[in-house]
Amino acid sequence: MSLLRVERVSRHFGSLVAVDGVSLTVEPGELRAVIGPNGAGKTTFFNLISGFFPPTSGKIFLDDRDITAASSHRRVDMGIARTFQITEIFPELTVRENLRIPAEVAQGLRLRPWLARADDERVRARVDELLEMGGLADKADRLVGELPHGDQRSTEIMMALALKPRLLLLDEPTAGMGDRETYDITTLVRSLHRDQKLAIVLIEHDMRVVFHLADRIMVLAEGAVLAEGTPDEIAANERVQEAYLGKAA
Amino acid sequence: MSEVNRKLAMLAAIWAALILAPLWMPLVGGYTALGTRVMVLGLAAMSVNFLLGFTGVLSFGHAAWFGLGAYGCGLLLKFVALSTPLGLLAGTLLGGVMGGLLGALIVRRRGVYFAMVTIAFGQVFYYIAFQWSSLTGGDDGLRPFYRQPLHLGVATVDILHDSTAFYYFVLVCFAFAVAAMAFILRSPFGRTMLAIRENERRARFLGIPVEMHIWIAFTLSCFFMAFAGSLYALVNNFADPRGLHYSQSGDFVMMAVLGGMRTFWGPLLGAVVFVMLQDYISSITINWQIFIGLFYVACVLFFPRGVLGILRRKATT
């Protein structure tokens, strides 16, 4: 059974067709990259999967359950977590607090007006683990808004992970990063995929990252699927080279 | 001083000042009843700020729940039972439940639209209180009713004539309400309020049903507000339709902003400043509101974090 199955979804904004009949299946543990020129509809496609807005047509299934009409927070409950192209964090809270909020949501505590000691300790342990994993332990008590861009990106990814997702959607995780930071994030994503067997869909502009990480690649252009296949197939595809890679490589 | 020690020192100072107020207030030209009034208005401003400063939602009609609390308390004392605790209960329930019901209709609105709808609801209650003279006393307000002695089993406390005893009664009520607020803000639910204030989109995509959480925060805030309003009816032995008016809501928002809306205690300090200014300037000119307005504008321009925000920044740098 596929984890995620997207069937011919489209999204129109007035007369603009941002996503045009795109289908995608993601198997458990798979790392899938979505690439394409600017304006190809990649982020809109993510917004449809994560429930930012509903598709104009088409259906979305998680574990064969129709989630096309489910609210975004319901989708999080079911195991879909995402990051954003432009970092979305809680700037005036510390890194620790930023991670604590999703950790509590994941443990079903979000409506609790108080916290038992055992729950509190479990949450703290989980937050420490995430801080460690994201390389943020030494900055845990700083306000996120005051940290460098790279640390903010890492915090956002760790916030998504705090939800214990089964499907992680990363929207250009290395955008605006230097080589060193890009390397760190790539290493992190690879270990999530290899070691934790997390299914990941990744939008990315950095081709080194894409070809290094992805099991399969989907190429979008003008809202529609231009090509789909393994990194080798995509690299060899003439239409892709023409539309996209030709300019970059 | 470390962060924790500084917080403890501030808490100790606040509570010492409140507990000893009947002793020191006469020395600075105040009187105990003024202290009681400031504390109740401060609680109301803190209730507004529970929503404004910690959930990031501006209600500009919160006086409605304050006024409903006052009327609920007054109506019970006047028509139903001669009991101060029951009066408080009735007022708190009336304002809180109405706030919760109407809140459910508007939690999808944001920003200016939310503020506008809350003003509209507030004005509805103002006009009801104003027009329904047979029940509410209309423009003259609701009277006569009097706060009743407290029967504590072993002793009876006359809070009607003994202003110091009444002050301490209000202080105990204040302490319970404020402790409840602080408790909620430190809980997982309280942290989701901060999350919504900081970044609503992020909160939503972390699995927080934002509308539901705003509604709960709004309803809690209405209950605190109505509790403060009930106490205010006891302070004055009177419920005034102007206590429901949007200008009263504006005063509460002003207190919160003056004191510092990102701080827990700021609105109490804001209430102190506001009432002191009002008391002092209105003894000089009847146009005192102009001066409060100017002061407010100056504060927003130069100290957007409020009095306590400034103090805190000074302490950390």
Side-chain angles (χ1 to χ4, degrees), chain A residues 50-52 72-73 76 82-84 88-93 100-102 104-105 109-115 156 159 163, chain B residues 183-184 187-192 194-210 212-213 216 262 305:
Chain A
S50 64
F52 201 90
S72 43
H73 67 82
V76 174
R82 73 170 290 181
T83 66
F84 291 83
E88 299 274 10
I89 47 179
F90 304 129
E92 289 201 33
L93 302 182
R100 183 165 182 134
I101 290 163
E104 284 175 341
V105 170
L109 302 170
R110 66 179 164 77
L111 282 170
R112 290 280 179 87
W114 66 86
L115 208 50
E156 197 190 4
M159 287 166 82
L163 296 169
Chain B
F183 198 70
I184 293 166
S187 72
F189 177 77
R191 276 185 283 276
T192 68
L194 297 182
I196 292 167
R197 177 193 80 189
E198 287 292 303
N199 187 337
E200 187 185 322
R201 175 183 295 179
R202 183 69 272 180
R204 192 180 296 281
F205 285 90
L206 289 182
I208 298 169
V210 170
M212 179 185 164
H213 281 233
I216 294 172
R262 288 293 167 89
R305 287 185 168 253

Side-chain angles (χ1 to χ4, degrees), chain A residues 6 22 58 69 88 92 95 137 161 167 190:
Chain A
V6 179
V22 174
E88 299 274 10
E92 289 201 33
V95 178
L161 283 177
L167 175 65
R190 188 173 52 185

